[in-house]
Amino acid sequence: TQLLEQSPQFLSIQEGENLTVYCNSSSVFSSLQWYRQEPGEGPVLLVTVVTGGEVKKLKRLTFQFGDARKDSSLHITAAQPGDTGLYLCAGETGGFKTIFGAGTRLFVKA
Amino acid sequence: NAGVTQTPKFQVLKTGQSMTLQCAQDMNHNSMYWYRQDPGMGLRLIYYSASEGTTDKGEVPNGYNVSRLNKREFSLRLESAAPSQTSVYFCASSGQAGDTIYFGEGSWLTVV
């Protein structure tokens, strides 16, 4: 069974702090996606990384795909209350069975 | 823009009752999915439809059936609801395998 483990599960930080969340697996993925989910809504795609070692930036968010395409990280610089939410990583194995991690629940206090 | 629309938003069922969750997408996507989301377990695929006229089992299909009514609509049916099916259900769609997946807003189902 392919698994994606996310850490930490919960994170509560002050506005302005930096943070990194991790997504790890023993499996190789053809691509990896990061989603953000707000309460009462469905997940919304933030980014897709495809190439091993790839780094993508989205404003204050930096996403990195591991060289071996088994892991990924999301770094947020100077977190803001609007960053609060559940961050999910999802690995593509080919076909239709995308594997989702359980998520990191982030709370940014003003 | 509507995107993926699913109904109902909330439902309480008694054990043994049946119900159907409806889903429609207006993005002309080929592929549609039903996921359930439980605390600490992430999103798990119940069934998917790669294209109109086809359906396949996902990771947790037991207790569910699906119908791809046409290209726009993909319904999920619980024939005899059980408390273990208490969850948040998400319908989703994508152009094809590996494309961005767009999710609906979720349906909160409680089985008592």
Side-chain angles (χ1 to χ4, degrees), chain B residues 34-108:
Chain B
W34 276 104
Y35 290 89
R36 60 179 288 174
Q37 186 174 36
D38 301 291
M41 302 193 73
L43 287 155
R44 292 183 293 169
L45 183 64
I46 303 171
Y47 270 93
Y48 67 97
S49 172
S51 60
E52 185 178 358
T54 69
T55 60
D56 285 285
K57 294 178 180 180
E59 181 184 356
V60 288
N62 291 345
Y64 305 96
N65 286 300
V66 291
S67 295
R68 183 74 182 266
L69 304 171
N70 48 57
K71 191 171 186 179
R72 291 187 64 247
E73 299 173 289
F74 188 40
S75 63
L76 178 72
R77 183 161 179 83
L78 286 70
E79 290 291 352
S80 180
S84 61
Q85 294 178 304
T86 293
S87 188
V88 184
Y89 291 85
F90 287 96
C91 179
S93 70
S94 68
Q96 57 190 6
D99 283 358
T100 299
I101 300 175
Y102 294 87
F103 287 86
E105 293 187 336
S107 296
W108 272 252

Side-chain angles (χ1 to χ4, degrees), chain A residues 10 12 17 36-37 56 59 65 79-80 91 93 96 103 109:
Chain A
F10 302 98
S12 180
E17 292 183 1
R36 180 162 156 257
Q37 184 178 13
K56 281 193 174 179
K59 296 184 181 179
F65 202 11
Q80 299 177 0
T93 61
F96 293 89
K109 294 175 281 188

Side-chain angles (χ1 to χ4, degrees), chain B residues 3-17:
Chain B
V4 179
T5 304
Q6 55 182 109
T7 57
K9 183 86 169 178
F10 300 97
Q11 184 73 50
V12 179
L13 287 177
K14 292 183 179 179
T15 297
Q17 286 186 319

